[in-house]
Amino acid sequence: MVSPAIALAFVPLLLTLLLRYRHHVLLLYRAVVLSWLRDRLSGVSREQRAFQYVLSHGIPGDPGHILLTFDRWSYHCEHLSGVGPVKGRIVERLVRERAPRRVLELGTYCGYGTVLLARALPPGARLCTVEDNPRHAAVASKVIRMAGFDERTVQLIVGPSAEVIPQLRRRHRLAQADFVFMDHWKRRYVRDLRLLERLRLLAPGATVLADHVLFPGAPRFLQYARSCGRFHTRLHRASLEYCPGIPDGLAELRYTGPAQHSPELYP
């Protein structure tokens, strides 16, 4: 049994750790503990609760207000993983600068990133978004339509990315993508990027933008992008959505093709 004196010796260390990682502790409480308790007590998932809030407070047909309502929910109610307003401004700026005609999103979740991308598209552009969780896809579909985007602009595809990507050209009329936004499982980033390359689904000069590369992190993806010789890479540093005390970032990749060298452009 540990003596009181030894136990007391660890108190300063514990207090230091709690102070240093207080933002992470708060995130754990809001994103995991609180949501788990509310799931059990209400019998309704966090994603469905968020949609009910958006349905009650959002303005149909106004994408900006839909996103703002999601932000209010995530700041004041429960943490909802997504792009968020800080990184969202970076995403939207890059989409408007590149003006892509064919966009692919991997990881729809509740549709926040989808609405953000869709409202920044030039007229006549098309977005295909892929979500492997049918329950999340059901919520996202309602959010996308509530924001005012029909199937001609946004096509939601339900299924694992490894199965959907090989079908994009034949079944979903996406021959090549000018812009790819990755925000699904981080361990799938490298696999899916290599699959897009192998199937020649990246247009010359295409932009690949990957979220959460610093938290929770995607080190294998960053290493691959830097070393494979087919991308110009840049890191946009920001903070985790709705958690300004936790650093995060977006990795921007410009596809140069298999025959060109890709220098590192990390600041």
Side-chain angles (χ1 to χ4, degrees), residues 16-219:
T16 301
L17 291 174
L18 283 174
L19 183 62
R20 181 176 180 180
Y21 294 104
R22 62 190 183 280
H23 301 293
H24 298 76
V25 173
L26 180 60
L27 175 64
L28 177 65
Y29 170 73
R30 295 187 68 238
V32 179
V33 177
L34 183 61
S35 293
W36 182 85
L37 287 172
R38 288 180 174 173
D39 285 352
R40 295 300 181 274
L41 292 173
S42 67
V44 178
S45 70
R46 167 177 49 185
E47 293 76 22
Q48 190 63 40
R49 290 194 297 274
F51 172 69
Q52 291 298 327
Y53 181 88
V54 172
L55 188 62
S56 300
H57 297 83
I59 299 176
D62 186 338
H65 196 269
I66 298 296
L67 296 176
L68 180 62
T69 306
F70 264 119
D71 292 336
R72 288 172 178 165
W73 162 269
S74 299
Y75 275 123
H76 303 297
C77 299
E78 299 175 60
H79 181 88
L80 200 66
S81 180
V83 187
V86 177
K87 289 182 291 183
R89 286 191 287 272
I90 300 172
V91 175
E92 194 164 14
R93 173 176 58 81
L94 291 174
V95 174
R96 294 189 187 279
E97 287 177 358
R98 307 290 153 76
R101 308 294 300 179
R102 301 155 298 181
V103 179
L104 173 65
E105 180 187 30
L106 300 177
T108 316
Y109 192 41
C110 292
Y112 185 106
T114 311
V115 172
L116 183 75
L117 291 167
R119 77 166 182 169
L121 293 178
R126 179 167 165 259
L127 165 62
C128 289
T129 181
V130 181
E131 174 57 49
D132 68 349
N133 187 315
R135 290 177 298 178
H136 296 168
V139 171
S141 178
K142 298 172 186 175
V143 170
I144 294 166
R145 304 309 171 216
M146 183 179 176
F149 301 108
D150 58 25
E151 294 183 356
R152 291 172 297 179
T153 302
V154 178
Q155 179 184 5
L156 174 58
I157 306 168
V158 183
S161 56
E163 296 178 9
V164 172
I165 290 174
Q167 301 173 351
L168 287 173
R169 182 175 285 114
R170 179 173 55 86
R171 292 190 58 182
H172 305 291
R173 299 179 291 108
L174 183 66
Q176 287 187 319
D178 305 308
F179 196 102
V180 178
F181 183 54
M182 307 179 78
D183 195 14
H184 55 323
W185 293 102
K186 310 307 164 269
R187 63 177 179 271
R188 299 176 186 172
Y189 278 13
V190 173
R191 181 201 68 185
D192 289 350
L193 181 60
R194 296 182 67 176
L195 188 57
L196 290 169
E197 291 182 80
R198 182 168 61 83
L199 296 175
R200 301 182 184 275
L201 288 167
L202 294 178
T207 297
V208 178
L209 194 62
D211 194 9
H212 296 115
V213 294
L214 297 183
F215 187 91

Side-chain angles (χ1 to χ4, degrees), residues 173 242-243:
R173 299 179 291 108
Y242 316 114
C243 297

